[in-house]
Amino acid sequence: MDTSHSDLEAIRELLSELTRRVYRIERTLGLQDATASPEPMKARESVSTVGQPAPTGTPAASPTRQEPASEPKRPQIPPRPATAVSAGAETDLESRIGSHWLNRIGIAALLIGVSYFLKFAFENNWIGPAGRVTIGLLAGVAVVVWSERFRSRGYRIFSYSLKAVGIGTLYLSLWAAFQIYSLIPGGVAFVAMLAVTSATGVMAVTQDAEILAAFALSGGFTTPFLLSTGQNRELALFSYVALLDLAALALVVFKPWRRLLLLAYAGTLLLYIGWYWTFYSRSQLSLTTGFATLFFAIFAVAPLVERADASVATLFSSVLPFLAFVNAGAYFLEIYGMLSDVSKAGTAWFAVALAAIYILLSRQVRVRQSDPGAAQTLQFLHLALAIGFITIAIPIRLDAHWITIGWFVEAAVLLWVAERIHSDFLNAFAIGALVLGVVRLLLIDNFYSTTLIFNTRMATYAVAIAVLGILAWYGRLRSDELGRSAAAAAVVALNLLALIGLGHEIADYYARQMTEVRPIRGRWNPAYWAEVRRVEIARDFTYSALGMAYGAMLMMVGLWRRSAFVRWQALVLIAVTIVKVFVYDVSELDRAYRILSFIVLGMLLLAISFVYQRNWLQLSAKKNPEGNSARA
């Protein structure tokens, strides 16, 4: 019994000590209220009853009456302080600096140090040319092999950095062997560099590393620069570039590495521009056009065959649209630069053919793209490119006012197609083509006509007015606010163009009258200036007559169609005419024209007033539905 009692005492002391320690730990960690007492004695008392009978005189607890056990208090975890976020950001920045930036700086420093050492050794002839190239090749292979050890241990970024050093060393060593020391012929150097590029590409596929594929493409496109001899070898150069582009296209078919397309296109474009600037002549038109078309086709079909991946679709979703836009623009400029001096008509038909290709591509993208958002973006972009090439083809092929008419016809066709397929996208381009035509008509086109009304200028204005009428009609058919706004703007523009066109006819007619006035006994003779003044007075009166006649016509149309919008345009035009008659005509026109202006204007105003007073349009009834309209 004594032994058992001593053992129990030891256990109680141990549990009490553990309780105190746990309490101190919880208090240190903030898991308990700082003011709460540990109450170790209660724990000790509860432990002391283990295995012992109840003391004499103390009633045993009834098994039927049991105090409800209190729910243990959950530890309150304090909220994370605001400084923890900044600390986390600082930790991430610190980790990035330590693992990425210092890594790259260290590699650069190591390369610089080794380069200085080798330079010093070369200058002192410690190592011969063959030894230098051999050291470079062996060092490059060794670094690549060594990098695999780090990759197997999970240091992928460091491993890829070492591979970049090793691959770069191999390219530079082969370049030095050919260009500097002439140790190997150009064909051997090319095959060796091609082997390095191929090996890097194989490593990229087997290790599923996009960065290695980028290294392979970078080395592949650098090879022609490194091995250039200054000779024109168009067929060999562009055949090699086409193989690199096809390899990049094959990679994006099986891997979601669409950024490689940008790298491949940049390398292709740089090599093409460099060769074109140095070697191109018209005798090479057919071959150069063929290669330019091949490059264009490779990157044009890339959106149809590339492998989409949801993990990178959002981050690099703009790669394909950007590539499609740049590819189309560069290809057109390349062909335009070669064909513009050969055949102007051929360049225009080339633009039309390119538009047809992009219409076909827009349909194929919609079918083949798995991502609906990307498919819609590319579809709209291809349609926009098609419309743009048609718009460009018009001024290339046509001249003078025919360019303006061509843009108006294009706008009409786009409006018709947009209405058939219910596309606001095409409506926007139709309005754009219409605006281009109107701006050119008002600011650029210079007409010379010898007949009144029936001439090329009025024909061009008539086409513009007709297209604006089509726009107003289609806008009126729509029930939304945008359609009504477009219709209203088209009607206003239509009337303004009609007034401007008729005003040009008046100005040209009286300009010819001016030229027919012959100086009588010299230009300073008063009779000559009197005749000129007579022509000017007649012209100014005709302007007033045009305003009154056109305003009356608008008012009749507004009354006939019961359109308040048209009637308001008539009222505004008549108001402008009233101001001109009372301010300008009174002081400048001859007495007969002045009388005629006031009589015609007065009769027009009385007629319009009579219509409104008779309330033929029932405007008062519309304002007062109860029928309490004011009597005239």
Side-chain angles (χ1 to χ4, degrees):
M1 293 295 296
D2 295 335
T3 303
S4 175
H5 183 71
S6 62
D7 291 339
L8 290 174
E9 285 294 327
I11 292 172
R12 284 197 296 269
E13 290 293 332
L14 180 60
L15 290 176
S16 178
E17 180 64 19
L18 288 175
T19 302
R20 286 193 293 270
R21 291 186 179 184
V22 169
Y23 172 76
R24 286 197 295 269
I25 291 173
E26 290 179 344
R27 185 172 182 181
T28 303
L29 295 178
L31 300 179
Q32 231 179 21
D33 190 0
T35 61
S37 60
E39 302 187 25
M41 294 304 296
K42 290 184 179 180
R44 183 175 179 179
E45 289 173 3
S46 63
V47 173
S48 64
T49 59
V50 176
Q52 291 188 1
T56 307
T58 304
S62 175
T64 59
R65 294 187 60 189
Q66 189 173 11
E67 294 294 329
S70 60
E71 184 179 356
K73 184 178 181 181
R74 291 186 178 182
Q76 298 294 327
I77 300 176
R80 185 179 181 184
T83 56
V85 178
S86 59
E90 292 177 0
T91 303
D92 293 339
L93 179 60
E94 178 185 357
S95 175
R96 187 170 183 83
I97 291 174
S99 63
H100 292 72
W101 297 357
L102 294 184
N103 169 261
R104 287 159 174 74
I105 296 173
I107 290 174
L110 180 62
L111 286 176
I112 293 173
V114 172
S115 301
Y116 276 123
F117 169 74
L118 293 176
K119 181 176 181 295
F120 182 74
F122 297 161
E123 290 175 350
N124 290 275
N125 292 321
W126 294 355
I127 304 173
R132 300 170 190 176
V133 173
T134 303
I135 290 175
L137 294 175
L138 292 176
V141 173
V143 170
V144 172
V145 174
W146 185 41
S147 68
E148 285 297 302
R149 184 176 182 181
F150 290 95
R151 188 181 68 85
S152 62
R153 296 184 177 182
Y155 302 103
R156 294 174 61 88
I157 297 177
F158 188 71
S159 170
Y160 296 149
S161 301
L162 290 178
K163 282 185 175 65
V165 174
I167 294 168
T169 304
L170 291 174
Y171 279 111
L172 290 177
S173 300
L174 293 171
W175 167 76
F178 169 68
Q179 291 283 18
I180 298 180
Y181 303 121
S182 301
L183 297 175
I184 56 176
V188 175
F190 175 76
V191 172
M193 288 188 178
L194 186 60
V196 174
T197 301
S198 302
T200 307
V202 171
M203 282 193 298
V205 175
T206 56
Q207 298 178 15
D208 195 21
E210 185 180 5
I211 185 66
L212 292 182
F215 292 163
L217 284 178
S218 300
F221 283 104
T222 306
T223 297
F225 288 109
L226 297 177
L227 302 182
S228 175
T229 58
Q231 298 177 358
N232 182 14
R233 297 177 178 176
E234 180 186 9
L235 181 61
L237 173 63
F238 288 154
S239 297
Y240 170 73
V241 172
L243 289 176
L244 287 179
D245 292 339
L246 290 173
L249 186 63
L251 283 175
V252 299
V253 169
F254 299 102
K255 299 287 185 179
W257 297 344
R258 58 177 58 169
R259 288 180 296 178
L260 295 181
L261 293 172
L262 288 180
L263 180 60
Y265 187 79
T268 302
L269 191 60
L270 288 175
L271 286 174
Y272 180 89
I273 293 174
W275 175 88
Y276 185 89
W277 188 266
T278 307
F279 298 109
Y280 176 74
S281 61
R282 184 174 296 181
S283 61
Q284 300 167 295
L285 174 64
S286 299
L287 184 60
T288 307
T289 302
F291 275 116
T293 304
L294 176 61
F295 298 147
F296 164 75
I298 291 173
F299 293 101
V301 301
L304 305 180
V305 299
E306 66 99 19
R307 179 183 175 185
D309 191 347
S311 61
V312 298
T314 302
L315 185 59
F316 304 111
S317 59
S318 60
V319 169
L320 293 180
F322 176 77
L323 180 62
F325 180 79
V326 175
N327 185 34
Y331 178 56
F332 176 78
L333 291 177
E334 290 165 5
I335 303 301
Y336 180 80
M338 291 184 285
L339 292 182
S340 58
D341 295 335
V342 178
S343 173
K344 186 177 179 181
T347 307
W349 284 114
F350 163 73
V352 174
L354 203 55
I357 290 173
Y358 272 102
I359 291 175
L360 177 62
L361 285 175
S362 68
R363 297 177 63 87
Q364 294 298 318
V365 165
R366 182 177 58 184
V367 174
R368 296 178 180 269
Q369 265 284 343
S370 57
D371 184 6
Q376 187 179 30
T377 301
L378 284 172
Q379 181 186 5
F380 286 163
L381 177 61
H382 286 160
L383 286 176
L385 289 171
I387 296 169
F389 285 126
I390 293 175
T391 306
I392 292 173
I394 291 172
I396 292 177
R397 184 66 183 90
L398 303 177
D399 296 309
H401 63 280
W402 291 109
I403 298 175
T404 308
I405 294 176
W407 282 341
F408 286 146
V409 173
E410 178 190 2
V413 173
L414 289 176
L415 285 172
W416 178 75
V417 175
E419 179 62 23
R420 292 292 299 272
I421 66 176
H422 305 289
S423 173
D424 287 337
F425 182 76
L426 291 183
N427 277 325
F429 277 94
I431 294 174
L434 182 58
V435 170
L436 279 176
V438 170
V439 170
R440 180 178 175 85
L441 176 62
L442 296 178
L443 302 180
I444 298 177
D445 286 341
N446 187 15
F447 297 92
Y448 176 77
S449 59
T450 57
T451 59
L452 188 64
I453 302 297
F454 299 101
N455 51 53
T456 56
R457 178 174 54 208
M458 283 306 296
T460 307
Y461 272 90
V463 173
I465 291 169
V467 177
L468 286 169
I470 295 173
L471 177 59
W473 175 262
Y474 283 143
R476 183 174 172 271
L477 293 179
R478 297 178 53 162
S479 58
D480 58 343
E481 185 65 29
L482 181 61
R484 290 192 294 268
S485 300
V491 170
V492 173
L494 182 154
N495 290 322
L496 287 176
L497 279 183
L499 286 170
I500 293 173
L502 293 172
H504 281 309
E505 294 300 313
I506 293 173
D508 278 1
Y509 174 77
Y510 285 104
R512 288 194 294 270
Q513 295 291 324
M514 289 285 190
T515 59
E516 293 176 0
V517 176
R518 294 290 183 264
I520 304 173
R521 298 179 184 176
R523 184 172 294 274
W524 300 106
N525 192 291
Y528 167 76
W529 292 108
E531 189 67 18
V532 169
R533 180 60 180 161
R534 181 189 65 78
V535 175
E536 290 178 345
I537 291 173
R539 181 194 61 191
D540 294 339
F541 169 77
T542 308
Y543 283 136
S544 299
L546 172 64
M548 289 184 282
Y550 202 90
M553 184 270 296
L554 283 181
M555 182 59 67
M556 288 188 293
V557 172
L559 294 173
W560 173 51
R561 300 294 299 177
R562 293 185 176 273
S563 172
F565 181 69
V566 176
R567 294 196 303 272
W568 271 107
Q569 293 181 74
L571 291 175
V572 170
L573 180 57
I574 292 171
V576 173
T577 306
I578 291 172
V579 172
K580 180 179 182 298
V581 169
F582 279 90
V583 174
Y584 179 82
D585 293 357
V586 168
S587 58
E588 297 295 331
L589 294 186
D590 189 59
R591 179 178 300 175
Y593 287 114
R594 189 185 313 160
I595 295 171
L596 189 59
S597 295
F598 276 93
I599 291 176
V600 174
L601 178 62
M603 293 174 62
L604 175 62
L605 295 179
L606 287 175
I608 295 174
S609 175
F610 179 76
V611 172
Y612 278 96
Q613 290 183 23
R614 294 292 296 176
N615 197 23
W616 287 349
L617 299 175
Q618 298 180 354
L619 299 179
S620 300
K622 293 179 181 179
K623 292 182 180 180
N624 191 354
E626 290 78 7
N628 298 325
S629 58
R631 294 183 178 271

